[in-house]
Amino acid sequence: MARPLCKPLPRSGLALRFSDGTVAGEGRRITYSPRSEPQTASPEDSMTATKTPIETATAEYFAEAAKIEEGGGASGIERQHRNGRLTARERLALLADAGTRSMECGLFSAWRMYKEYGGAPAAGVVTTIAEVDGRLTMVIANDATVKAGAFFPMTCKKIIRAQAIAERARLPLLYLVDSAGVFLPLQEDVFPDTDDFGRIFRNNAVISAQGIPQIAAIMGNCVAGGGYLPVLCDTLLMTEGSGLYLAGPALVKAAIGQEVSSEELGGAEMHAQISGTIDFREKDDPACIARLRRVFSAVRTAPAKARAPFAAVAPARGADEITKVFKSEPGAQYDMVDLLSCFVDGDSFDEYRAEYGRSLVCGYARVAGFPCGIVANQKKLTQRKMPGGKAGPSSATNMPAVIYDDSADKSARFIMDCNQKGLPIVFVTDTTGFMVGRDSEQGGIIRSGAKMVNAMSNCVVPKISLVVGGSYGAGNYAMCGRAFDPLLTLAWPGARFAVMGAAQAAGTLLSIDLAARERKGEKIDEEMRKQLLAAITASYNEQQDIRYAASRGWVDRIIDPKETREELALALAVAAQAPAQQSGVYRTGVLQT
């Protein structure tokens, strides 16, 4: 069953009716991240079926995601309605084309952060790639139910990331502004740096200079430095009852002794009639969004949503098989080619050098008719043929999920070929990293790994990263981790990010801790050693949780594994709008051969 953008609002007894006759919480809805709702299992079901780890992780993720989507909760929603305003998600539902699929980025931003201030669900802002007037846009909507839409450190980073995606794919930006400005208790982490508040306004100016459309609608507070964001946009709308000013009435009185009302200082009527700052004054949120849609429809520099150049063909395996093929248990293996067959178009996968460098799977494929290259970690034992002497070639066994030197060489060559062909590349990650040891070092693993990283770093085609399992150490780098400019990073629930596995890391950290304690003369018995190991392991497990990565912006979106095909199809539609980077000519610089 398709899941709507906004859940039904709590019954507060408030009937908020707008100028067009709509009532808050009612009206148009769009299909938003459609997925099957979790079903409550009956006792009979539990006896006949056991959930796999990935299914359990997915259920836990969506339960938590639903809470985050509530923002500031029922009281915050009621406060918005009491002030005659819609929530961020209600505004999005009215803005986006009915029946279209959207892609929210950064839902888990600030997850379990800022606890001393009561938390900041989704960092107090919603950033979504949505279809408006048949065109893909990046919508950035302050969530005023969370601390009046104030900017936390992660709020800035989330908006900057949304702007970066939009700039790369030339997506028009639509800002739904409703914010009290900087969250003052954390101002030193919000205000000055290159990834803080001011960078947002710098990006407004740079994006405008690139000809990417930006439209802002003020539907609530817009104060202090935040006032520059909408005024740096191409077109500015504002609702009655909203405020746009550098300093509010209280601060003006404290600073210069002047007493002035909010409306005189920065109301919609004043800005429409006296300052001339706004382009359109609207009665309320629905009227403002209706005008925004009409204004945007007149923008002809934004292309229609890209259509796949080939007809979509159903995958060879059904989506329901994903959780059966994929294995996340320690030591478990699966065939990555089988997993890919669950979401790429049937008969479209042409594996590149299938018999060579088999610890990485490379190939040309289509997803819902969109062509792409795929680089994926092989999660099963594979055989490697090596040159021999008089006895002829010898064989060796490759460990699952490990990148070997021949695989790195193969993938570097494949990445170059995708750039030559203009194909976006999808990196499907489930790796423990590069192979170590004497034989690997003598075989030139560092040289080959550097070649792969170089080829991937210099891509001029868009890169999409999909993390299905582990993303450890230098394997994270080679498979297009966040440091290497992926257009979008998607991940499955239960995936893991870390420099190494929990067992190895906990053992290393414990050794360091014990050595430090012994130097101080502390006596460590076996029981204390076990307690220390348990505490270190628990801390490390939390840090490698994919939600921890998403909270810090290392992952754009956690997705339902069974909807991987739909998610990748939309990601590739976004990628289809992204022009080749730099000059469009692929160059790698010096390669160690």
Side-chain angles (χ1 to χ4, degrees):
M1 180 176 66
R3 183 178 173 281
L5 169 63
C6 304
K7 292 181 283 296
L9 297 171
R11 296 283 184 181
S12 61
L14 179 68
L16 179 60
R17 188 172 295 278
F18 292 98
S19 58
D20 64 352
T22 61
V23 176
E26 296 179 359
R28 204 153 50 86
R29 288 291 180 264
I30 63 171
T31 304
Y32 187 77
S33 304
R35 58 179 177 249
S36 298
E37 296 290 350
Q39 301 294 319
T40 303
S42 66
E44 293 80 6
D45 292 336
S46 62
M47 294 177 64
T48 58
T50 302
K51 282 186 176 179
T52 63
I54 185 63
E55 289 172 328
T56 300
T58 300
E60 291 175 356
Y61 165 76
F62 283 131
E64 196 156 17
K67 294 179 182 178
I68 294 173
E69 288 173 353
E70 293 173 357
S75 61
I77 294 170
E78 186 172 356
R79 183 175 62 250
Q80 279 291 99
H81 292 170
R82 190 167 60 246
N83 291 328
R85 298 169 185 162
L86 296 174
T87 67
R89 295 182 185 278
E90 290 167 347
R91 289 165 177 164
L92 274 164
L94 288 175
L95 177 61
D97 293 347
T100 59
R101 187 185 186 94
S102 296
M103 177 181 282
E104 179 171 353
C105 300
L107 176 63
F108 267 67
S109 290
W111 176 71
R112 294 187 178 177
M113 297 171 69
Y114 314 123
K115 292 180 181 179
E116 64 273 34
Y117 303 108
V125 65
V126 182
T127 56
T128 295
I129 299 172
E131 195 170 328
V132 180
D133 188 47
R135 292 172 286 178
L136 293 176
T137 65
M138 175 63 79
V139 184
I140 298 175
N142 300 113
D143 186 351
T145 70
V146 179
K147 302 292 191 298
F151 279 68
F152 285 76
M154 281 308 304
T155 313
C156 298
K157 290 172 175 57
K158 181 173 176 178
I159 293 175
I160 291 167
R161 174 59 183 159
Q163 290 177 321
I165 294 170
E167 184 179 11
R168 177 71 179 93
R170 299 193 65 82
L171 300 176
L173 283 139
L174 306 179
Y175 301 92
L176 309 183
V177 183
D178 192 353
S179 170
V182 170
F183 186 68
L184 290 178
L186 295 173
Q187 65 88 25
E188 75 276 14
D189 295 321
V190 177
F191 170 63
D193 212 343
T194 53
D195 58 351
D196 288 344
F197 202 40
R199 189 71 174 187
I200 297 171
F201 315 137
R202 176 265 182 197
N203 290 347
N204 287 136
V206 170
I207 289 170
S208 179
Q210 293 178 4
I212 300 172
Q214 296 180 97
I215 302 174
I218 300 172
M219 293 184 281
N221 292 313
C222 184
V223 301
Y228 287 109
L229 184 152
V231 180
L232 283 163
C233 291
D234 308 335
T235 307
L236 176 53
L237 299 80
M238 188 173 179
T239 59
E240 294 177 3
S242 296
L244 169 64
Y245 34 68
L246 290 180
L251 184 55
V252 168
K253 183 176 182 181
I256 63 174
Q258 185 181 74
E259 293 192 13
V260 62
S261 71
S262 178
E263 181 59 38
E264 288 179 294
L265 192 63
E269 183 177 350
M270 188 282 288
H271 282 303
Q273 297 179 359
I274 300 174
S275 78
T277 300
I278 66 172
D279 302 307
F280 297 93
R281 174 161 67 108
E282 304 299 333
K283 182 174 179 58
D284 51 31
D285 286 11
C288 186
I289 291 170
R291 174 87 70 176
L292 175 56
R293 285 182 56 86
R294 292 199 302 274
V295 169
F296 182 63
S297 70
V299 175
R300 293 294 92 195
T301 53
K305 179 184 176 183
R307 293 187 177 184
F310 299 93
V313 177
R317 295 171 180 262
D320 288 341
E321 292 191 53
I322 287 177
T323 55
K324 299 173 184 176
V325 172
F326 178 77
K327 308 291 183 203
S328 60
E329 301 88 339
Q333 300 180 40
Y334 65 88
D335 190 337
M336 177 57 76
V337 175
D338 289 343
L339 187 63
L340 295 177
S341 70
C342 296
F343 49 82
V344 304
D345 288 9
D347 296 327
S348 75
F349 187 64
D350 293 307
E351 187 171 355
Y352 178 83
R353 297 186 183 177
E355 299 176 74
Y356 179 78
R358 298 176 68 190
S359 69
L360 279 172
V361 175
C362 301
Y364 308 104
R366 294 194 297 272
V367 178
F370 285 98
C372 62
I374 293 178
V375 178
N377 302 110
Q378 181 54 276
K379 196 66 190 299
K380 70 172 186 177
L381 290 169
T382 54
Q383 294 299 308
R384 176 181 182 178
K385 291 286 187 180
M386 296 178 293
K390 293 181 180 180
S394 60
S395 296
T397 300
N398 293 332
M399 295 171 60
V402 179
I403 302 174
Y404 287 78
D405 58 297
D406 58 338
S407 300
D409 283 337
K410 178 179 79 169
S411 63
R413 177 64 181 80
F414 178 74
I415 290 168
M416 293 177 188
D417 198 49
C418 287
N419 278 271
Q420 187 78 356
K421 290 180 168 66
L423 286 173
I425 306 173
V426 178
F427 293 83
V428 184
T429 305
D430 190 357
T431 181
T432 54
F434 285 90
M435 188 59 189
V436 298
R438 181 193 61 201
D439 293 346
S440 186
E441 298 290 0
Q442 292 180 0
I445 185 63
I446 297 176
R447 183 184 68 241
S448 297
K451 189 186 303 182
M452 180 180 178
V453 169
N454 192 326
M456 180 272 301
S457 300
N458 285 293
C459 280
V460 296
V461 296
K463 297 172 289 190
I464 297 167
S465 180
L466 170 63
V467 184
V468 300
S471 182
Y472 290 108
N476 172 276
Y477 301 159
M479 297 298 292
C480 196
R482 176 44 55 88
F484 295 87
D485 302 318
L487 173 63
L488 289 163
T489 301
L490 313 177
W492 285 359
R496 300 168 300 284
F497 264 38
V499 72
M500 64 178 72
Q504 302 94 316
T508 302
L509 292 169
L510 178 63
S511 298
I512 295 171
D513 190 24
L514 291 177
R517 289 171 183 270
E518 288 173 359
R519 285 196 297 270
K520 295 177 183 178
E522 294 185 31
K523 299 294 183 182
I524 308 296
D525 58 22
E526 185 60 27
E527 183 59 29
M528 179 175 287
R529 184 183 181 281
K530 289 180 180 179
Q531 291 176 3
L532 289 171
L533 180 60
I536 291 171
T537 301
S539 175
Y540 198 87
N541 279 333
E542 178 183 355
Q543 291 180 35
Q544 70 173 359
D545 190 314
I546 197 63
R547 294 168 295 183
Y548 187 94
S551 73
R552 284 148 179 81
W554 308 336
V555 169
D556 295 311
R557 180 169 170 79
I558 303 175
I559 66 173
D560 185 339
K562 294 182 179 180
E563 294 183 7
T564 300
R565 176 176 169 83
E566 292 78 10
E567 294 279 352
L568 286 178
L570 183 51
L572 288 167
V574 175
Q577 294 189 196
Q581 288 183 315
Q582 300 162 354
S583 66
V585 178
Y586 182 62
R587 298 186 179 93
T588 62
V590 175
L591 288 176
Q592 295 290 341
T593 57

